[in-house]
Amino acid sequence: MGKTNKEEPTGQGKEKPIEQDKEKYVALENEATQDLISEPTNTSIDNANRMVKSASWGSVFFLITTDILGPTSAPYSISQLGYVPGALLFFLFGIAAMYCGYLLWKIYLKLDSEKYPLKTYGDIVGRIYGPRVRYGVDFLQCLQLLCSVSVIILGNGQGLSQVTKGKGCYTVLILVWSLAGMIIGQIRSLQRFGFLANLAIWMNVFVIIATMASVANSAPNYVAAAGTMGIEKGPVITKIIMSGSGSTAFTNQLSACMNIVYSYGGAMVFVELMSEMKRPWDFWKGMITAQVFISIVYLLYGLFVYSQQGQFVVNPANQGISAYTMQTVANVVNLVSALIAAGLYGNVGIKVFYQTFFQKVFHTPDITSKKGRYIWCIAIIMYWGFAFILASAIPQFSALTSLVGAVCILQFTYTFPAILIFGIDMQIGALAGDGEYDPISKSTNRVDTWKNASRWIRAYRAKWLLNTCHIVLFLASLATAILGIYSSAELLKESFSSGITTSFTCKSPVA
C-alpha cells in the first residue's frame, strides 16, 4: 500500500537534499497508481486525491507568464529613468524575483505534506511565524489581488475609450469590464485557466509586436500623453540617463521603479500553483523559464518603444499608438488577454479570502458544495464591484500601479521570501543543540528556549552567511517599499491637484 508523506515538519529533523525531494514525489506518484487498483483504504484515497493534481511544469510556465507578463508598463519605466538605469534595474529586479521564487519553492518542499498540505502563501507564513502573522499576510494578499484586478479594468476602460474615440462615459466603460469579470469569475478551478492562460500569452506577444511595428512607423499619441501626464506636443527626446533634480524628478523615478516591481509581481500565487502540481519538485523549471522569457521581453519591448516615442510614452504603451486602426486592433486583443489575467487574480483572491476568513470565522460550507457555489457567485459580484470602485476613484494608471507595487507586490515578491527562509533556517539551526528526539516522551533534552540569547546565536551561526544575506535583502526590500509608497502618494497628490486625474469622471484621459 502507498505511504503518506513522511517528511518531518520544521523543527523536527535535518534538512533534506533537493534530489531526495524529487525522488520522493516520483515515488509517491508510482505508489498512488498502485493504490488506485487496490482495495480502497484511507491511504489509497489520499494518494488518489494526489493524482487529481494534474498541473505540469509546462502549465506552470503558461500560468506564471500570464500572471506576470505585462510589458505595457516597461517603456514608461524606462522613459522615467533613461536607457542605462532602466535596463539595469529591469535586469536586477528580474534576477532578484527569480531568486526569491526559488526560495519559495525551497520552503514549499520543506514544509508541504499529506497531513499538513500547503495551499496558499499564508499557509507558509503561518507554519513559520504563527497564525497572527498569517492573517495579516492573507489580508495583504487579498488586497493585492483586488488592486491588480482594479488596475486591469482601469487599463481596459482606457482601451475601450480609445476604441470608441472617447464616446460614452469613461466610468461606465470601466464598469463594463467589471461586469465581464463577474462572468469569467465563475470559473473556480485554476486548471481550467490553463488553455486561456496559453491563449493570453500569444495575445500579449501579438500586442507587443503590433505596438513595436506601429510606433516605428507613426508619430506618438500626443493626445494620450497630454491627458495622462500633461506633456505637450514637441520633438521626441531620449536620454541615456534621465537627469533632473527636485522632488518631482525623484518621485517620478521612484514611481518608475515601482512599475518595474509591478511588472514582476506574481510570486504570491506560486504556492497555489505548486499545490496543484503533480510533481511540485518540477516547479523550478516552469518558474525560471517564465522569468527569463519575461525579462527578455520586458527589456526588448521597453527599450524599443522608448527609442521611438521618448517622453511621450503612455502607460500602458499600446495605448500610445496614434494610428487608429492598429490602435484599435491592439486594444481589442489586449482587452481580452487582460481580462483572462484578471479572472486568474480574482479566482485566487476570492479563494484565499473565503478559506481564510469565511470558513474559519463564520464556518461557511466548502467552496465545492452546493451552498458554497452560491456563496462563490455572490463573492465574485462583490469582489469585482469593489475593484470597480477602486479603479474609478483612482483613474491614474501609472500612480495606481506604482501604489500597488509598493504596498503589496514588492512584499510578496521580494520582502517576504527573504524573511521566510531566514525564519525556517533559524529554526533548523537552533535544533543543533537540542539533542536526540525521544518519540516516547515526544521531547528532547533541550535546556534553552527562544528567550535565551544562546539559542539565537546557535541558530544564526548554522548558516551565518545566508542568514546575513537574507536579512540584508529583507531590509533593502522594506526600505524600497517605504520609498515607493511615499513616491506613489506624492504622484497621486500631484495628479489630483493639477486636474489631470479626477475620480469617477466621464472624460477619458487617452481619447
Side-chain angles (χ1 to χ4, degrees), residues 290-438:
Q291 295 280 22
V292 171
F293 173 75
I294 289 165
S295 298
I296 293 173
V297 170
Y298 282 160
L299 280 173
L300 293 178
Y301 182 67
L303 292 171
F304 183 86
V305 174
Y306 175 58
S307 68
Q308 300 297 318
Q309 294 195 327
Q311 74 275 27
F312 297 105
V313 168
V314 177
N315 192 11
N318 63 287
Q319 295 177 8
I321 300 174
S322 58
Y324 176 74
T325 301
M326 187 56 70
Q327 178 194 91
T328 301
V329 172
N331 270 324
V332 170
V333 175
N334 189 67
L335 295 178
V336 177
S337 65
L339 185 62
I340 294 172
L344 177 62
Y345 293 146
N347 182 286
V348 176
I350 295 176
K351 281 181 179 177
V352 171
F353 191 81
Y354 186 86
Q355 294 170 357
T356 302
F357 298 102
F358 279 87
Q359 284 191 300
K360 292 184 178 180
V361 177
F362 301 106
H363 305 290
T364 53
D366 188 83
I367 208 167
T368 58
S369 65
K370 186 176 181 180
K371 290 183 179 179
R373 289 195 292 268
Y374 292 137
I375 297 176
W376 174 270
C377 293
I378 297 173
I380 284 288
I381 295 173
M382 294 179 63
Y383 191 88
W384 285 83
F386 283 124
F388 160 73
I389 293 173
L390 180 61
S392 298
I394 312 177
Q396 220 288 356
F397 193 87
S398 298
L400 184 56
T401 54
S402 176
L403 183 63
V404 176
V407 175
C408 303
I409 292 179
L410 193 146
Q411 321 309 328
F412 286 100
T413 306
Y414 303 104
T415 309
F416 291 160
I419 199 62
L420 288 172
I421 194 68
F422 174 80
I424 195 172
D425 283 343
M426 287 285 287
Q427 292 181 45
I428 294 174
L431 295 173
D434 284 351
E436 294 294 330
Y437 176 75
D438 184 0

Side-chain angles (χ1 to χ4, degrees), residues 85-106:
L88 184 61
L89 284 173
F90 261 110
F91 176 75
L92 293 177
F93 273 113
I95 294 295
M98 193 181 306
Y99 177 70
C100 290
Y102 161 79
L103 293 181
L104 288 175
W105 169 70
K106 188 176 180 180

Side-chain angles (χ1 to χ4, degrees), residues 158-168 173 323-325 327-328 331 508 510-511:
Q158 287 186 182
L160 188 57
S161 70
Q162 284 190 332
V163 173
T164 61
K165 296 185 177 181
K167 298 178 181 178
L173 297 180
Y324 176 74
T325 301
Q327 178 194 91
T328 301
N331 270 324
S508 171
V510 294

